[in-house]
Amino acid sequence: MALVEIEVPSRTAYVGVVRLALSALARSAGLDEDVVDDLKIAVSEACANAVLANEDADGDVPVTVAWTETDDGIVVEVGDRGPIHDPRPDEEVDSQGFSTRSVLSFSLLSALAADCSRTPREGGGMSTQMSFPRPG
Amino acid sequence: MALVEIEVPSRTAYVGVVRLALSALARSAGLDEDVVDDLKIAVSEACANAVLANEDADGDVPVTVAWTETDDGIVVEVGDRGPIHDPRPDEEVDSQGFSTRSVLSFSLLSALAADCSRTPREGGGMSTQMSFPRPG
Amino acid sequence: MELGIDVRNVESCAVVDVKGEIDVYTAPKLREKLIELVSEGSYNVVVNLEGVDFLDSTGLGVLVGALKRVKAHDGSLALVCTQDKILKIFKITGLTKVFPIHDSIDEATAAASG
Amino acid sequence: MELGIDVRNVESCAVVDVKGEIDVYTAPKLREKLIELVSEGSYNVVVNLEGVDFLDSTGLGVLVGALKRVKAHDGSLALVCTQDKILKIFKITGLTKVFPIHDSIDEATAAASG
Ligand SMILES: Nc1ncnc2c1ncn2[C@@H]1O[C@H](COP(=O)(O)OP(=O)(O)O)[C@@H](O)[C@H]1O
Ligand SMILES: Nc1ncnc2c1ncn2[C@@H]1O[C@H](COP(=O)(O)OP(=O)(O)O)[C@@H](O)[C@H]1O
């Protein structure tokens, strides 16, 4: 079971670094190119959400990303240390009826990962788990 | 002080992943393009050496990479859990007088990093520290 | 990671050519540019996404924000996009119903002028 | 990460066009190909590094190994390389003294045939 772990500062500039590293991993794991594209978006959304959540945390805490290869595919787990909150935001639409960023982010995550769940982490914060299929 | 940590399995395929992630970091840290090229080579050598060292370690241990930004530039630290050995290999040349891979690797590391040192790690193994200047 | 943004006038529209990755880090740069355009009186805006490799929810939010701003001046915001992987993002989020999406800049500016 | 390797015959030489990154992971693929060439009787080999973005000590080692193999048959191994960042690696390691390095395939094959 291959495992890669990445820890980055909670700043938006690092979301692109994680995206790049994980697309390299996804390609070398043999995922189809369109699954690689889905993974890039889902992982970026999860990391962006984690960076935003950590802005509400005490102190300067990192975002953690874990990559695991299983027989069926890839599991990516993104962890923050923000206050626990429901993934679905209270405010789904603004005054003009447009979806808020967090609703858009949540739809992308659920549509693009084969499985997407969020659970509280030991020690505080939330963890988002996503999985992506291998070809065949 | 921004800090990125990456942990990858000790397999040669992951050296490219670290290289890619660190060149993205180096570019976003504003290093000159030729320093980015130097960093890619030096970090790849250190990671390849760490993967090879870990092949002699007990069990399946990862290679760890830490990225730190200081006022003067970047410090990258690559850690293994292999048996402690001198960075300079015993066999510097082969029977026909050609340098061995480890000698070539060591020359690249020392020439391309502004500073390069190797120290034993707490808990076993070696750590290679390299630094790279910021422009100006 | 750099986001390239160039603006040119085509017919009566401001065409914004975007190149690179629009994500949570780079989207603010696009937002600034779109706010600047509207504040300078460009109310018919075409955002050309053909050079965009990546788009996330923050980027979508910036486009929605710009749409609201031009609408406030009875203007329009159209997109040019033929890339499947980018169109997919608009489809998943239902924003294909919110933005007119065209195959070419000519088509987009003709629709805005028509 | 893929390493592209294509072989073609130019004059009396086997020209090996390499594309991509030659590192500790991909170098074994190049090594296999060079061993195969020599075992098939190609003793004048030109390795074209113009499409190579990255080269590490393991890649250098593979080239040295191939040099030894062709030398054992009185052959030659020449390189084509004009990229500063790749030339730099040969300079640092002193291997500019070991390999003839040419600016073009024509120059390399002419030198090998001459
Ligand atoms: N990702 C998004 N998708 C759709 N709408 C979004 C998104 N992000 C923000 N919005 C909407 O855009 C609005 C922000 O618009 P506004 O404040 O006018 O623009 P801006 O934030 O660009 O100044 C929010 O009310 C929100 O509903
Ligand atoms: N990075 C390197 N640079 C220079 N020489 C190297 C390097 N790696 C290996 N060598 C040399 O190449 C030799 C290995 O050559 P050989 O066994 O003939 O080729 P191969 O390992 O490709 O089968 C070693 O003796 C070593 O001295």
Side-chain angles (χ1 to χ4, degrees):
Chain A
M1 198 175 77
L3 181 68
V4 176
E5 289 187 341
I6 303 180
E7 211 172 279
V8 295
S10 293
R11 284 190 242 125
T12 57
Y14 292 95
V15 173
V17 173
V18 173
R19 177 163 66 243
L20 201 68
L22 265 61
S23 38
L25 283 169
R27 288 209 179 86
S28 60
L31 299 201
D32 286 336
E33 202 53 30
D34 53 338
V35 178
V36 175
D37 284 335
D38 291 352
L39 181 146
K40 283 170 68 175
I41 299 168
V43 166
S44 300
E45 292 299 334
C47 286
N49 294 342
V51 167
L52 300 175
N54 278 350
E55 287 176 356
D56 299 330
D58 291 334
D60 194 3
V61 291
V63 170
T64 56
V65 181
W67 165 278
T68 314
E69 300 189 15
T70 67
D71 289 342
D72 308 328
I74 303 298
V75 178
V76 180
E77 193 167 338
V78 175
D80 63 55
R81 292 286 178 204
I84 305 288
H85 56 272
D86 194 88
R88 294 183 161 277
D90 333 302
E91 274 202 292
E92 301 216 356
V93 292
D94 67 10
S95 56
Q96 295 174 50
F98 290 112
S99 304
T100 57
R101 180 203 166 278
S102 45
V103 168
L104 294 173
S105 186
F106 190 73
S107 351
L108 288 172
L109 263 172
S110 353
L112 297 172
D115 250 316
C116 180
S117 62
R118 278 172 63 87
T119 47
R121 290 174 82 189
E122 212 169 309
M126 296 290 284
S127 162
T128 304
Q129 293 97 22
M130 296 159 273
S131 64
F132 303 91
R134 263 184 217 287
Chain B
M1 198 176 75
L3 182 69
V4 176
E5 290 188 340
I6 303 180
E7 210 173 280
V8 296
S10 292
R11 285 192 239 121
T12 58
Y14 292 95
V15 173
V17 173
V18 173
R19 178 164 62 243
L20 201 68
L22 265 62
S23 37
L25 283 169
R27 288 209 180 84
S28 60
L31 298 202
D32 286 336
E33 202 54 30
D34 54 337
V35 179
V36 175
D37 285 335
D38 291 352
L39 181 146
K40 282 171 68 175
I41 299 168
V43 166
S44 301
E45 292 299 333
C47 286
N49 294 342
V51 168
L52 300 175
N54 278 349
E55 287 177 354
D56 299 328
D58 291 336
D60 194 2
V61 290
V63 170
T64 56
V65 181
W67 166 278
T68 315
E69 301 188 14
T70 66
D71 289 341
D72 309 328
I74 303 299
V75 179
V76 180
E77 192 168 338
V78 176
D80 64 55
R81 292 287 177 203
I84 305 286
H85 56 272
D86 193 270
R88 297 183 158 274
D90 332 301
E91 273 202 294
E92 300 215 355
V93 293
D94 67 9
S95 57
Q96 294 172 53
F98 290 113
S99 304
T100 57
R101 181 203 164 277
S102 45
V103 168
L104 294 172
S105 186
F106 189 73
S107 352
L108 288 172
L109 264 171
S110 351
L112 297 172
D115 250 317
C116 180
S117 62
R118 279 172 61 87
T119 47
R121 291 174 79 190
E122 211 169 309
M126 296 290 285
S127 162
T128 304
Q129 293 98 24
M130 295 159 277
S131 64
F132 303 91
R134 266 185 213 287
Chain C
M1 206 170 31
E2 292 296 313
L3 189 69
I5 304 177
D6 286 299
V7 182
R8 54 193 164 119
N9 291 306
V10 179
E11 311 281 320
S12 58
C13 296
V15 174
V16 184
D17 294 304
V18 189
K19 278 211 161 48
E21 303 195 323
I22 309 180
D23 79 349
V24 65
Y25 176 61
T26 62
K29 186 178 170 189
L30 178 60
R31 181 170 178 277
E32 294 313 306
K33 177 54 82 178
L34 292 171
I35 288 176
E36 185 188 312
L37 274 179
V38 175
S39 73
E40 289 168 1
S42 297
Y43 305 138
N44 290 308
V45 177
V46 174
V47 180
N48 177 11
L49 299 173
E50 292 295 79
V52 170
D53 307 314
F54 184 84
L55 177 65
D56 77 350
S57 64
T58 310
L60 293 174
V62 163
L63 295 173
V64 170
L67 177 67
K68 293 200 246 175
R69 280 188 202 87
V70 296
K71 290 268 181 201
H73 296 276
D74 282 326
S76 65
L77 187 134
L79 307 176
V80 176
C81 180
T82 60
Q83 296 185 79
D84 283 341
K85 71 172 175 187
I86 305 293
L87 288 171
K88 185 174 180 178
I89 298 164
F90 287 96
K91 279 180 202 145
I92 290 171
T93 51
L95 291 173
T96 42
K97 288 178 220 112
V98 171
F99 296 105
I101 302 182
H102 300 279
D103 285 352
S104 68
I105 289 168
D106 284 353
E107 195 184 300
T109 55
S113 314
Chain D
M1 205 175 30
E2 292 295 313
L3 188 70
I5 304 177
D6 287 299
V7 182
R8 54 193 165 119
N9 291 306
V10 179
E11 310 282 318
S12 59
C13 296
V15 173
V16 184
D17 293 304
V18 189
K19 277 210 163 48
E21 303 195 322
I22 309 179
D23 79 349
V24 65
Y25 176 62
T26 62
K29 186 178 170 192
L30 178 61
R31 182 170 177 276
E32 294 312 309
K33 177 53 80 178
L34 292 172
I35 288 176
E36 185 188 313
L37 273 179
V38 176
S39 74
E40 289 168 1
S42 297
Y43 305 137
N44 290 307
V45 176
V46 174
V47 179
N48 176 10
L49 300 173
E50 292 295 81
V52 170
D53 307 315
F54 183 84
L55 177 65
D56 77 351
S57 64
T58 311
L60 292 174
V62 164
L63 295 174
V64 171
L67 177 67
K68 294 200 243 175
R69 279 186 202 89
V70 295
K71 290 269 181 201
H73 296 276
D74 282 325
S76 65
L77 186 133
L79 307 176
V80 176
C81 179
T82 61
Q83 297 185 78
D84 283 340
K85 72 171 176 188
I86 304 293
L87 288 171
K88 185 175 180 177
I89 298 164
F90 288 95
K91 279 179 203 145
I92 290 171
T93 53
L95 292 173
T96 41
K97 289 178 221 116
V98 171
F99 296 106
I101 302 181
H102 299 280
D103 285 353
S104 68
I105 289 167
D106 283 352
E107 195 184 302
T109 55
S113 314

